[in-house]
Amino acid sequence: MAKVPTAAVAASGLVGGYGVARWTKKRQLGGAVLAVAGAAAAHQWTKRAGGKAAGALTAAYVAAFAGSHPLAKKVGAWPSVFGVAGAVALASYLVADRRGD
């Protein structure tokens, strides 16, 4: 079975969490999507790149979520979410996925 890249899991968590929160008007449900995807990504980051890298990537994931809010005031909600999701995906790829383990 093919492995799902952690970059895709992390980016999907950020985009999907926002989308679910927006379309259902239930922020807690969007937060649950964000948390589940983040936990899944963190688990894979640990397996693929080790604890220190997983900690750094998890911090980046949380920072991206938090940073998307003030950024949205400047560029709009969706551009902000896609921007931070892309940044986390790139970091995840470079740290954990690139080796292709």
Side-chain angles (χ1 to χ4, degrees):
M1 184 169 165
K3 293 180 182 177
V4 176
T6 62
V9 174
S12 296
L14 289 161
V15 173
Y18 174 69
V20 166
R22 181 171 177 143
W23 290 315
T24 65
K25 298 189 182 351
K26 297 186 186 304
R27 294 178 70 176
Q28 298 86 350
L29 190 56
V33 170
L34 179 80
V36 168
H43 178 72
Q44 288 300 313
W45 289 329
T46 302
K47 287 173 65 174
R48 294 182 188 181
K52 286 184 182 181
L57 289 168
T58 300
Y61 185 79
V62 172
F65 167 70
S68 69
H69 292 82
L71 181 60
K73 292 179 182 179
K74 296 183 185 291
V75 300
W78 281 112
S80 172
V81 171
F82 286 129
V84 299
V88 169
L90 178 61
S92 183
Y93 171 77
L94 292 173
V95 173
D97 295 335
R98 182 170 44 174
R99 292 182 284 179
D101 295 340

